[in-house]
Amino acid sequence: MEPHTMRHIIALLCLTLSPMGIAASLQLPDRAETVLVNGKASQQQSSVKLDLSMPDNMQQIAFRYQARYRDNGSQNDFVSDVVILRFQASEQNYQLTLPTINSASRANQFNDQPTITLTDNTGKSIVFTQDKLMKSGLQIGRNFAQEIALYNESGAIAAIVSAKRITSKTTTAAPVALVPVAKTTEVTASNNTADTQVNKTEDITQAEVSRMLDYWYQKANPNTQAEFKAKIN
């Protein structure tokens, strides 16, 4: 049995046998790295506990998709932009499914318009809204919690309102300048999209380099991060 399959089984058993139980959860593939859960920074996890105390039970999960694929005889690492997933949850478990990345064209296609599927515990497709959390300039040392707070204040397509914000006396926020995202989608089911050939331009190459630098910076310890910043400066 594959190790990741065993981890999924253990996670599901824990959800079932836990004395306290978990009212709602989202199961993610191993290749998905959670970044934020309902506005809070999150470590990578395969099962996310959903918060049904959120206004209208609306959940917001931000994640990256990581994959390895072979192109022209060499192995390539792919780290996607940060994808924001927003959906209304109830007391059940949900499953996130991502497409296979096995070529540069599929990797670029996913970053251009992420194709994801969200289902409930009966296999029914769930309505969701998706967007991307983008930032211009250097991607090293991003403060995702701060970025998503600004994103949510802007009222963007996949924004949520926290319970704390509802009870706050201050309800008006200053306008926030955000990097525009080319495409956002409200989805009811998965759509199969044919492969499209994408030319490898310099811009695409540099974007990929930026994502990889950010990925390894987040994996480094504080000392290594400090040394890397010193080299940049």
Side-chain angles (χ1 to χ4, degrees):
M1 182 178 295
E2 295 290 337
H4 67 274
T5 303
M6 179 62 71
R7 286 197 298 272
H8 284 169
I9 292 175
I10 292 173
L12 290 173
L13 287 175
C14 289
L15 292 176
T16 304
L17 301 177
S18 171
M20 297 300 294
I22 295 180
S25 69
L26 173 65
Q27 193 75 24
L28 297 97
D30 290 336
R31 301 179 305 280
E33 179 186 38
T34 51
V35 175
L36 295 154
V37 177
N38 292 327
K40 298 179 181 178
S42 171
Q43 298 295 323
Q44 182 176 359
Q45 48 187 315
S46 60
S47 182
V48 176
K49 181 179 179 180
L50 303 179
D51 184 1
L52 297 184
S53 69
M54 295 289 291
D56 298 323
N57 291 344
M58 199 65 72
Q59 311 296 310
Q60 184 189 63
I61 312 297
F63 67 92
R64 281 192 180 113
Y65 184 16
Q66 304 176 51
R68 286 180 63 85
Y69 62 90
R70 182 174 292 275
D71 185 25
N72 294 326
S74 61
Q75 288 287 343
N76 295 271
D77 291 311
F78 167 70
V79 181
S80 75
D81 295 326
V82 177
V83 180
I84 304 173
L85 171 69
R86 188 191 70 179
F87 66 100
Q88 191 173 38
S90 59
E91 294 186 1
Q92 59 179 311
N93 299 324
Y94 298 87
Q95 177 74 46
L96 176 69
T97 304
L98 300 173
T100 300
I101 301 294
N102 53 17
S103 66
S105 62
R106 279 187 174 270
N108 293 327
Q109 181 181 336
F110 183 87
N111 258 343
D112 180 57
Q113 183 60 57
T115 303
I116 59 182
T117 303
L118 181 67
T119 54
D120 63 14
N121 53 15
T122 67
K124 178 183 176 182
S125 295
I126 300 300
V127 175
F128 64 88
T129 303
Q130 71 183 58
D131 201 352
K132 293 198 293 184
L133 188 63
M134 304 294 288
K135 177 189 174 185
S136 60
L138 191 64
Q139 303 296 303
I140 300 299
R142 292 175 63 177
N143 187 331
F144 290 114
Q146 183 180 63
E147 288 181 37
I148 200 68
L150 295 176
Y151 178 92
N152 288 331
E153 289 288 345
S154 75
I157 186 172
I160 60 170
V161 179
S162 67
K164 181 178 180 181
R165 182 179 166 193
I166 283 183
T167 58
S168 173
K169 293 181 181 180
T170 304
T171 57
T172 304
V176 178
L178 292 175
V179 178
V181 176
K183 298 179 181 178
T184 53
T185 310
E186 186 157 313
V187 192
T188 56
S190 173
N191 295 319
N192 293 324
T193 306
D195 285 351
T196 58
Q197 295 300 317
V198 179
N199 294 327
K200 295 183 178 179
T201 66
E202 182 65 18
D203 289 340
I204 293 176
T205 301
Q206 292 305 308
E208 191 72 20
V209 169
S210 178
R211 283 189 292 272
M212 288 304 300
L213 283 173
D214 183 44
Y215 170 76
W216 286 114
Y217 179 87
Q218 298 297 332
K219 293 295 185 183
N221 59 36
N223 290 336
T224 303
Q225 289 177 348
E227 292 175 359
F228 189 79
K229 285 182 178 180
K231 291 179 180 179
I232 294 175
N233 295 331

